[in-house]
């Protein structure tokens, strides 16, 4: 909305300047005016977005500091229990739950996504490729609540019976469903990275006597690593920030879990489950902002590391 408003205002201003210039007999180049206008618009919107992100961070940080004023950092970050009704706020059960779910999702999603991207870009015919791309894009459009129902009524019972558990709502179930959510993003990015790679890489490898599989493993995948890694990081962001699915299929139990076959509760699910009923201004209320601050920092570190390794990989090529 801000973009369209700024764009319309800038265009209006540009045409007004052009008309005024024509009225006084000037010869100003319209294209230069539009170029300068668009440049200013893009710079203004980019700066506005940076300001918004900074204000969000400042808002979360301010409310989090109010929580840490009453609760020591050590008790929060290393606390082994989360019992909000008893004013016990330990992050470890929630962090462990998020860690289990994320690990399971990445272990499933990354290999499947890379293999699928290689098949689409190197083996599939143009017709099959278009069909698979449409299917993958359709998967990315599935609502998280729909995937939650699928995990709740389709996957939970087989997992319960196979592992002889009391319940099928575990970290494993949540990880499987989140893998389905991350796969479309990783596949799309990996496929684009492979297809954007210079064909001379592949042709030179084949000319030196390597077969197609060796070329893919030793030449194409390393060459396309920056794009593939970027896709993995975007998939990780989708996983760590998902709320509704994990709230429905992980058991929603804030206990310090030692295995992925136990019910867990993630940090995002905790915020979603408790924010609607919490007393505003209480320690419980500010503790949820502290969790949000942790998620913000994790996201920032993840994107920073991803950007670092992507640039490092490009320099080594």
């Amino acid at each position: 909305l801000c973009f369209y408003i700024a764009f319309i205002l800038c265009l209006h201003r540009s045409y007004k300047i052009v008309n005024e210039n024509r009225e006084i007999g000037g010869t100003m180049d319209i294209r230069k005016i539009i170029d300068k206008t668009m440049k200013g618009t893009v710079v203004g919107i980019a700066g506005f977005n940076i300001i918004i992100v900074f204000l969000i961070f400042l808002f979360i940080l301010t409310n989090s500091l109010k929580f840490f004023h009453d609760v020591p950092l050590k008790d929060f970050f290393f606390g082994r229990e989360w019992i909000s009704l008893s004013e016990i706020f330990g992050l470890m059960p929630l962090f462990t739950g998020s860690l289990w779910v994320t690990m399971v999702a990445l272990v499933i999603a990354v290999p499947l996504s890379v293999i699928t991207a290689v098949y689409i870009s190197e083996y599939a015919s143009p017709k099959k490729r278009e069909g698979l791309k449409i299917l993958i894009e359709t998967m990315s459009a599935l609502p998280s609540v729909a995937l939650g129902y699928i995990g709740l009524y389709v996957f939970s019972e087989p997992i319960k019976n196979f592992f002889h558990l009391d319940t099928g709502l575990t970290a494993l179930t949540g990880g499987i469903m989140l893998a389905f959510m991350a796969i479309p993003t990783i596949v799309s990015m990996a496929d684009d990275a492979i297809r954007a790679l210079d064909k001379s890489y592949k042709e030179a490898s084949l000319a030196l006597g390597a077969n197609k599989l060796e070329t893919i493993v030793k030449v194409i995948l390393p060459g396309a690593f920056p794009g593939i890694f970027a896709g993995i990081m975007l998939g990780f962001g989708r996983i760590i920030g998902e709320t509704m699915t994990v709230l429905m299929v992980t058991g929603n139990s804030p206990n310090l879990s030692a295995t992925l076959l136990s019910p867990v509760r993630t940090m995002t699910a905790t915020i979603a489950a408790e924010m609607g009923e919490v007393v505003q201004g209480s320690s419980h209320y500010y503790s949820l902002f502290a969790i949000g601050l942790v998620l913000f920092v994790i996201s920032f570190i993840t994107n920073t590391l991803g950007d670092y390794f992507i640039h490092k990989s490009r320099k080594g090529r």
Side-chain angles (χ1 to χ4, degrees), residues 5-26:
I5 293 175
F7 179 72
I8 292 171
L9 291 176
C10 288
L11 282 182
H12 175 72
R13 178 60 180 168
S14 299
Y15 286 117
K16 185 177 180 181
I17 293 173
V18 172
N19 291 330
E20 291 176 353
N21 188 68
R22 286 176 175 174
E23 289 176 0
I24 63 176

Side-chain angles (χ1 to χ4, degrees), residues 300-314:
F300 177 79
I301 293 174
T302 300
N303 286 284
T304 302
L305 289 175
D307 185 70
Y308 169 77
F309 283 110
I310 287 173
H311 283 84
K312 184 178 179 180
S313 177
R314 287 175 177 173

